[in-house]
Amino acid sequence: MCRWAAYLGDAIFLEDVIAAPPHSLIVQSHGAREAKSPTNADGFGVAWYGDRPEPGLYRDILPAWSDPNLKSLGSQIKSGLFLAHVRASTGGATSRMNCHPFVSGPWSFMHNGQIGGFEKIRRALEHSLSDALFDQLEGTTDSELFFRLMLGEGLSNDPYGAVSRAAAHVLEASRRAGIEPSLKLTAAFSNGRALHAVRYATDDHAPTLYTAAFAKRTGRCIVSEPFDRDGRTWHEIPQSTFVTMTRDSTSIRPFAPAASRFALAG
């Protein structure tokens, strides 16, 4: 499983999350403590927001610990909202287009989890996308496809509902394919204003998710694994939960897939 971290607040250097802490995201790329595999070496990526509505994006296939460009960018770029991810592939080749985060317009998305039986339902899910969204697909991962499903389900106007409907779509596709629905979904996504996250799994063993104050309490982080334990209080986000952070508040509410209403093409 992958590791990721997101930040919202006053502008800080990316390295303050990616590289500086004792258990930073770069450290987690070769020594994760709360994942099935401690090594996340199948690429990395960072999406950050600045003066323009669309995020900047840097992704590569090297392990995060061995890319000097990542360290250099992290020491120079400041942002008040960014998403960073190190990848351990559960499917899909190690390629730049399969590295998270994925972007579309102002939206960025990263994921830790898996769609069970993806190879058996991928065609049906892709077929349900509009032509425009299908044309946006760059890679071959279940994570990117789930993001495009969210966009098709009204992400711009209803972030919670879009995730809920996309999750229901995946579960229904599994049932129609005659396989037991299986979805692990711990993801973060943003439009440059608010930061959203979800933690859900069909088997009640969702990948971990934590949040804490950061940068002298002027910001907050939401992470798949804490990057320090010294003087900071980390709060574990419960399973089946949806989080929305703005610069002024954080809201947490229960999450569940929407009631099934999909008729996929046979």
Side-chain angles (χ1 to χ4, degrees):
M1 293 294 183
C2 309
R3 302 285 84 181
W4 57 254
Y7 169 81
L8 174 64
D10 291 346
I12 61 172
F13 287 108
L14 271 60
E15 70 174 3
D16 292 342
V17 169
I18 295 171
H23 193 57
S24 68
L25 199 62
I26 289 180
V27 173
Q28 291 177 34
S29 69
H30 60 78
R33 297 170 181 168
E34 299 190 25
K36 290 183 177 180
S37 170
T39 304
N40 300 270
D42 296 320
F44 66 86
V46 183
W48 68 94
Y49 291 86
D51 295 331
R52 295 178 175 175
E54 296 82 11
L57 181 65
Y58 177 58
R59 300 183 293 179
D60 211 336
I61 62 173
L62 291 173
W65 70 77
S66 67
D67 188 293
N69 294 317
L70 176 62
K71 294 179 181 179
S72 179
L73 289 172
S75 68
Q76 295 294 326
I77 295 174
K78 296 185 75 171
S79 174
L81 202 173
F82 59 88
L83 287 68
H85 185 280
V86 292
R87 183 175 183 243
S89 175
T90 56
T94 301
S95 70
R96 186 176 286 108
M97 296 308 178
N98 283 340
C99 291
H100 308 219
F102 306 101
V103 300
S104 177
W107 287 97
S108 57
F109 171 90
M110 61 186 180
H111 176 226
N112 176 28
Q114 186 176 18
I115 296 175
F118 178 61
E119 67 283 352
K120 297 181 179 179
I121 62 173
R122 175 180 170 184
R123 181 178 178 184
L125 294 175
E126 289 180 344
H127 186 70
S128 70
L129 295 174
S130 68
D131 289 344
L133 287 171
F134 182 82
D135 288 344
Q136 287 186 17
L137 284 172
E138 296 181 326
T140 59
T141 65
D142 53 354
S143 299
E144 184 190 5
L145 182 50
F146 191 87
F147 175 45
R148 308 301 174 188
L149 290 172
M150 288 167 51
L151 290 164
E153 290 296 335
L155 178 59
S156 296
N157 298 317
D158 182 12
Y160 175 96
V163 183
S164 180
R165 291 186 290 271
H169 200 157
V170 169
L171 302 184
E172 180 64 15
S174 297
R175 295 186 186 99
R176 288 181 175 271
I179 60 177
E180 183 68 22
S182 177
L183 175 64
K184 291 184 182 294
L185 178 66
T186 297
F189 51 101
S190 178
N191 60 356
R193 298 187 299 274
L195 176 62
H196 307 279
V198 59
R199 184 185 181 201
Y200 172 80
T202 50
D203 62 2
D204 295 326
H205 295 289
T208 53
L209 188 64
Y210 297 86
T211 185
F214 192 71
K216 298 181 180 179
R217 300 190 181 275
T218 60
R220 294 197 69 83
C221 276
I222 188 160
V223 302
S224 56
E225 184 171 316
F227 47 68
D228 62 34
R229 293 288 190 181
D230 301 326
R232 194 187 314 279
T233 301
W234 291 93
H235 302 280
E236 183 174 6
I237 300 298
Q239 297 193 80
S240 301
T241 297
F242 188 89
V243 182
T244 296
M245 291 182 179
T246 67
R247 296 184 184 277
D248 301 318
S249 64
T250 299
S251 65
I252 300 176
R253 55 172 163 162
F255 175 83
S260 177
R261 58 173 179 79
F262 298 102
L264 298 181

